[in-house]
Structure formats: structure tokens, C-alpha cells
Amino acid sequence: MDNEVYSFALKNALDEIRNTCPDVISTFIFREDGEILAGDQTTSENTFVKVVDALDCLLEKKEALGDLERAIFEGEKNRACVSRVDGLYLVTVASKNADTKYLDSFTRVLIPTVLKLLEKIQPVPPKTQLPEPEADIETPAREFEETEETAQEEEILPDMPANQFIVENLEGFLTPSDTVRIDSNVMSQWEKLFKDKKVEKVEIETFGGKTIRCKVKPIKNTKHEGKGAVQIPKKIQLALDIGKGELVRAKPIFE
Amino acid sequence: MMEAKQMVKKERTFQETPIIEEQNTLVESVPSVDDLRKRLQEIQTDENVIGYVLRSSDSASIDIKDPKRVIDYAVLSSSSFDASEELAKLFDLGDIQNIIIEGKNIKVLSLTFGENKLSIFMEKNADHDKISKKIQQP
């Protein structure tokens, strides 16, 4: 079962919450590293990203707070609730008139049930899965352009894994404008997957469908490590028509 | 034409009075920093209360039992207000009345009184509703 199926199941559960409680304005689920797993149709993906970005400052305060378990923001019109469910964060925004006790109980039963069910079907955590290298894969990836050398060796490589990242600015006097920076763990996972081939280029794809190929290096700043971020120079951001905080996909390119 | 003009004038005069009254009511209902400090002194006698951070437009008072945690808690307080402002903008929450942040270790109740922003830090098992009532209605 791939991530799409996982997201589909969670999305259905979220839609069910909205059907049952019409006072719910928006609802979505994200992982601690910021990856958005599923959300309702009426709210834009950009809004989800901004919410995760806003909550990041609280998720980071582990020393003082410990793991964030629940956050409630009560406004005079609407109420936003963030609750930790089985290691994931569920965000529910509802009108002030909503029956919050019923809504909380309902979501606390429904989402863990769906997660448990999904876990039974495939016992893996809901995160971007990197396919395991398999020797018996018959067809190489569609996007993969085989070099003469690899063709001669009859080496068959697995599908190119695409991971989601949140865009961060990459600035600095000596920063090359054609190079992005990605979490070193993700890069080493890619390299491991492709038999220790060095990842030197990636393809960045926006949700608007724009793509660009550029050089890649691991993130230097530990502040951005392990947060699912991709540091992109302004020049590339402009070319892709994206900005800080937006979500993009990236996959390794071997040429 | 004359009649129409007179009607407009009359309506304006009629609307002005309640607005002034409303503003007066608002000013009266917001407790001053001194009032809040007095209420906080009482609240701090609760053994589950760890401390508080009270910010006004020109000053801040911090009283935390564990002095090593002062900066952590001050940052946490401002982070919770920052997050609330962003969420309020994104989801049209309106003016934020209260924020409750529950972590694995502690719980934070944040409230806004006009320009004064207050965060009360407490143990996880503390009754934040009771504390909230105490601070809002002494």
C-alpha cells in the first residue's frame, strides 16, 4: 500500500468528520516533521503549510513543554484544535458553536481506528516510503534515463523515490545559485537505495506542475536538519514561482 | 431633498451614543497590570502552578519557580501568541480569547487582556479552567 492509499483513507476519515460535524471548517493531518498526510478539500494546501509553519515554533519547544500533545486556540468566532493522535497531529478548526466535547471524542476514536486499520493492512508508519531495493524488478523507472554504462551492466534500479519538502530560503555570500540543499539523511537514504551512487542532482517539482533540475548538497545548518526542509536559492524559487513555506517534491536524478 | 438630509443627520446622532458606551464598557472590563499581578499572587499559591509571564506594552514580569526555565518559558509564551495570531489570520478565528498548550511535561494557559498578554505555566494535572476563571473573575 503506498502513500496515496494511506492519504486517501485518512482523507475519507477527515471528510467523515466534516459530514458528522457540519460546524467543522477545516481539518487535516500532518506528521511531526511537517509532512502533510491528508486534508479536507475546501482548504488549500498552502494554508496547511502555513499552519504547520506556525505550529513549528511550538513543536520545537520540547525542552520546556515536552512533546506537544494538544493545543487549543479559542477565538471569538472559531476554535482551532491541534491534537496528537498516534504520533501524528490532527488539526480541526470548528465554529465556536460546535459541540467540542462530541467533536473531540469522535475524532479521538475515528482517527486512531483508521490508523490502526491501516497499520494492520500494512504495518509501517505513515511517512514517505522509500522503496526497498529489489533485485527482481523487471522494469526500470519511467523517469530514469539509463546511461550506456548501466545498460551494459544490466543493472536494474528501483523507482525514483519522490519526497515532499517544505521550502526554506538558501542565502549567503558564497551560496551557488544552482544548488539546493536537502537533509543529509534523505540523501543517504537515496544513495543507499541506489547502491551507493552519489546523488548530485535532483528534480524539484512544485504542486503547480513546474519542474527544475539542479545540483544538490546536504543541508549544512543543523537548524534545518530533520525537518523535511529543502533550502532553495531565491533564483530557483523565482523560476519555480514558489516561496518559503511552500511544499515541493524532490527526487534524485542520476545522469 | 431636505427631508432626506435631515434623516441622515438624525441617524448619525442616534448611532454615536451606543459606540461610546460600548468603548467605556470595554475599558472597564480589562483588568490593569496591577490587578492581574494581585490575582496572580493568589493563583501562585496553587501548588500546580509553576509560574507566569505577564507582558504589557512596555514591560514584562516573569515569575517562574525554576529560574533555569525562565528563558524557555518566556519563549514558549511568545511562541504560543505568535502561533495563535497566524492561525487567527488563516482561519478567521477572531480575537483570541484563550490558548491552551499541553505538552508531555507541562500545560500553558495564555490569555489576552487588552494590551497585556499573560501565560500561566502549570503541571499537567492542574485544572486550567479553574485557574482561567480565577484570573478573569477574581
Side-chain angles (χ1 to χ4, degrees):
Chain A
M1 185 173 55
D2 59 20
N3 258 10
E4 274 181 32
V5 180
Y6 221 109
S7 296
F8 181 74
L10 285 173
K11 199 177 166 307
N12 278 343
L14 297 179
D15 286 342
E16 208 48 54
I17 292 172
R18 290 200 68 177
N19 292 339
T20 315
C21 310
D23 286 321
V24 171
I25 296 160
S26 177
T27 177
F28 72 99
I29 293 181
F30 68 97
R31 288 198 310 148
E32 199 174 345
D33 65 5
E35 188 181 338
I36 293 145
L37 295 173
D40 67 88
Q41 279 182 332
T42 52
T43 315
S44 72
E45 185 131 5
N46 201 22
T47 305
F48 296 149
V49 173
K50 283 180 181 168
V51 174
V52 175
D53 214 25
L55 294 170
D56 197 38
C57 56
L58 292 173
L59 295 168
E60 278 177 355
K61 303 285 173 296
K62 283 192 179 178
E63 256 190 54
L65 191 67
D67 282 327
L68 178 68
E69 291 186 343
R70 199 162 69 127
I72 298 167
F73 302 88
E74 252 178 84
E76 59 180 1
K77 293 184 200 164
N78 301 319
R79 174 185 186 266
C81 179
V82 183
S83 26
R84 192 181 166 96
V85 185
D86 287 358
L88 305 175
Y89 286 101
L90 169 69
V91 180
T92 317
V93 184
S95 79
K96 196 105 200 261
N97 304 326
D99 184 344
T100 50
K101 278 186 183 171
Y102 172 70
L103 181 60
D104 287 351
S105 321
F106 184 60
T107 51
R108 279 182 178 275
V109 171
L110 182 70
I111 300 298
T113 309
V114 173
L115 289 171
K116 270 181 194 163
L117 197 68
L118 290 169
E119 205 175 307
K120 273 188 182 174
I121 298 167
Q122 191 192 18
V124 285
K127 58 184 173 186
T128 308
Q129 302 294 318
L130 291 176
E132 289 296 320
E134 288 172 29
D136 57 349
I137 293 175
E138 285 179 3
T139 51
R142 275 175 296 169
E143 300 92 336
F144 187 70
E145 295 162 14
E146 265 188 323
T147 59
E148 279 181 21
E149 200 182 326
T150 51
Q152 277 171 4
E153 288 172 2
E154 291 183 355
E155 188 180 33
I156 297 162
L157 294 167
D159 281 345
M160 290 292 168
N163 292 42
Q164 280 184 23
F165 297 94
I166 294 171
V167 176
E168 288 287 345
N169 293 335
L170 181 57
E171 290 158 336
F173 186 62
L174 296 170
T175 307
S177 59
D178 61 343
T179 306
V180 299
R181 289 189 181 269
I182 283 177
D183 201 320
S184 57
N185 287 335
V186 175
M187 286 189 64
S188 55
Q189 274 179 306
W190 284 343
E191 284 171 3
K192 203 174 155 191
L193 181 65
F194 291 95
K195 298 175 182 173
D196 291 330
K197 271 176 181 276
K198 200 166 188 299
V199 179
E200 286 174 337
K201 282 192 172 184
V202 282
E203 187 176 271
I204 308 280
E205 186 187 359
T206 68
F207 282 89
K210 287 189 178 180
T211 58
I212 199 164
R213 287 183 181 198
C214 47
K215 289 178 192 166
V216 65
K217 282 185 176 172
I219 286 177
K220 274 184 186 173
N221 191 341
T222 49
K223 190 186 154 196
H224 296 292
E225 275 216 77
K227 289 182 182 170
V230 55
Q231 291 182 298
I232 304 180
K234 278 277 174 199
K235 199 178 163 187
I236 300 178
Q237 287 187 32
L238 285 170
L240 289 170
D241 199 18
I242 51 166
K244 187 186 170 186
E246 287 189 45
L247 214 59
V248 290
R249 285 195 194 96
K251 61 184 176 186
I253 298 294
F254 296 100
E255 289 177 338
Chain B
M1 285 296 283
M2 279 296 284
E3 274 180 5
K5 272 184 182 175
Q6 276 174 351
M7 282 294 285
V8 173
K9 246 188 171 179
K10 269 182 187 174
E11 270 183 17
R12 275 185 191 165
T13 326
F14 180 73
Q15 278 178 351
E16 273 167 11
T17 322
I19 290 170
I20 292 164
E21 277 174 5
E22 234 177 65
Q23 281 173 345
N24 285 341
T25 324
L26 269 172
V27 171
E28 278 169 18
S29 66
V30 177
S32 68
V33 175
D34 288 339
D35 284 340
L36 286 172
R37 280 200 191 118
K38 277 178 199 165
R39 292 176 202 179
L40 284 164
Q41 271 178 359
E42 197 186 314
I43 283 166
Q44 276 209 304
T45 56
D46 187 327
E47 59 176 11
N48 287 322
V49 173
I50 300 165
Y52 69 84
V53 174
L54 174 61
R55 287 166 210 266
S56 64
S57 54
D58 54 0
S59 66
S61 339
I62 302 177
D63 191 343
I64 306 287
K65 281 179 186 169
D66 181 359
K68 285 178 202 163
R69 291 279 184 207
V70 170
I71 293 171
D72 285 344
Y73 287 174
V75 175
L76 183 57
S77 166
S78 78
S79 298
S80 63
F81 282 109
D82 288 349
S84 76
E85 275 171 26
E86 192 60 33
L87 289 181
K89 262 189 246 163
L90 292 167
F91 293 118
D92 190 27
L93 302 183
D95 286 339
I96 296 292
Q97 292 169 332
N98 67 58
I99 308 162
I100 298 147
I101 310 287
E102 282 181 37
K104 208 175 175 182
N105 308 334
I106 58 158
K107 199 194 282 192
V108 191
L109 166 71
S110 298
L111 301 153
T112 309
F113 300 95
E115 285 190 339
N116 304 321
K117 288 176 175 178
L118 170 67
S119 290
I120 304 173
F121 301 87
M122 57 194 93
E123 301 289 351
K124 267 204 80 180
N125 56 350
D127 185 347
H128 64 262
D129 278 335
K130 201 173 130 189
I131 293 168
S132 176
K133 276 177 195 161
K134 267 190 186 175
I135 197 80
Q136 292 185 79
Q137 298 161 358

